[in-house]
Amino acid sequence: MARFGIVTDRALGISNPDIRAVARLAKRDHIRAKQLWQSDIREARLLALCTAEPKRLTAEEARSWANDFNSWEIVDCAADLFVEARLDELIPEFAADRREFVRRAAFAMISGAAVHRKNESDMTILAWLPLIETHSRDSRNFVRKAINWALRSIGKRNRGCHGPALTLAKLLAESPDKTARWIGRDAVKELSGEKLMARLK
């Protein structure tokens, strides 16, 4: 786990497939999820995120959990839950937060929404591109990778999103800033790939 940047000082060492198996058996229970989160144990928090009830999750609860973020793994799992709970108002708020893992959550949420919300309007998804541009100079590893991930996810969504995402990627690829340039060039490479272009036709 440590090799992959996962915080291990409060981990039991239970594998993610086993955690998901427990979650399927335990089913959703929002009160229990909140209690599990308070444990400060990695596996319990992952189980909390897998079994919380999206319709009952409030923005205030999500903000409280975000205050505890200390690992990209927890962040990315939480982002899926926050997207399912439709807490989109947290995206610009989290993006403006200087804390590395809270900011990562914003862009993990954008990526998740672009991929999983098939019926969402493209305009809603594309409205997050300015956030990507604004924060594209954040060189912290877990932030820049999430920004790149969000940009690529938007571009791969469909033909309507591909053009604007690729345009931004090309703009960033020419940036004098090293981080923005990396984000842009990596996204251009994937968004210009033959397989993707064939799928989007």
Side-chain angles (χ1 to χ4, degrees):
M1 289 182 193
R3 277 208 323 274
F4 291 101
I6 295 170
V7 176
T8 59
D9 59 342
R10 297 287 292 172
L12 304 177
I14 300 171
S15 72
N16 284 357
D18 285 345
I19 293 171
R20 287 192 290 270
V22 171
R24 285 193 294 271
L25 289 171
K27 305 195 184 305
R28 294 194 183 269
D29 184 321
H30 200 66
I31 300 298
R32 184 187 61 214
K34 291 196 289 185
Q35 293 170 340
L36 284 168
W37 185 268
Q38 293 302 318
S39 71
D40 193 25
I41 296 171
R42 168 193 173 264
E43 288 80 359
R45 285 188 166 174
L46 288 172
L47 193 58
L49 294 168
C50 290
T51 59
E53 297 174 58
K55 291 182 179 179
R56 295 184 63 185
L57 183 70
T58 67
E60 198 52 47
E61 286 171 346
R63 290 186 186 98
S64 176
W65 288 6
N67 287 333
D68 296 327
F69 286 165
N70 64 352
S71 170
W72 66 264
E73 177 192 41
I74 294 290
V75 168
D76 294 357
C77 190
D80 287 341
L81 173 64
F82 297 171
V83 167
E84 193 175 354
R86 304 194 73 86
L87 297 176
D88 294 1
E89 70 269 25
L90 295 179
I91 291 176
E93 181 180 322
F94 285 173
D97 197 298
R98 283 293 306 163
R99 290 172 291 177
E100 182 174 11
F101 289 114
V102 178
R103 182 168 289 176
R104 179 184 174 90
F107 296 99
M109 287 178 69
I110 291 172
S111 180
V115 171
H116 298 299
R117 288 194 193 159
K118 307 297 186 184
N119 297 323
E120 192 73 70
S121 78
D122 288 349
M123 293 307 297
T124 297
I125 303 298
L126 292 172
W128 290 319
L129 286 177
L131 272 182
I132 291 174
E133 183 175 7
T134 296
H135 296 288
S136 62
R137 291 165 179 78
D138 191 326
S139 62
R140 291 174 294 179
N141 188 48
F142 293 116
V143 176
R144 70 185 180 97
K145 286 188 173 181
I147 293 171
N148 172 263
W149 178 26
L151 180 55
R152 290 184 290 108
S153 295
I154 292 175
K156 292 188 292 184
R157 177 179 168 85
N158 56 37
R159 289 185 65 184
C161 289
H162 179 265
L166 182 58
T167 297
L168 176 56
K170 288 179 177 178
L171 177 69
L172 295 179
E174 299 300 322
S175 171
D177 181 85
K178 181 180 177 182
T179 301
R181 198 162 59 244
W182 175 83
I183 289 170
R185 287 179 178 175
D186 187 75
V188 167
K189 183 178 179 180
E190 182 163 358
L191 297 181
S192 301
E194 291 182 8
K195 287 185 179 179
L196 177 62
M197 298 305 293
R199 179 174 70 78
L200 293 177
K201 281 184 179 178

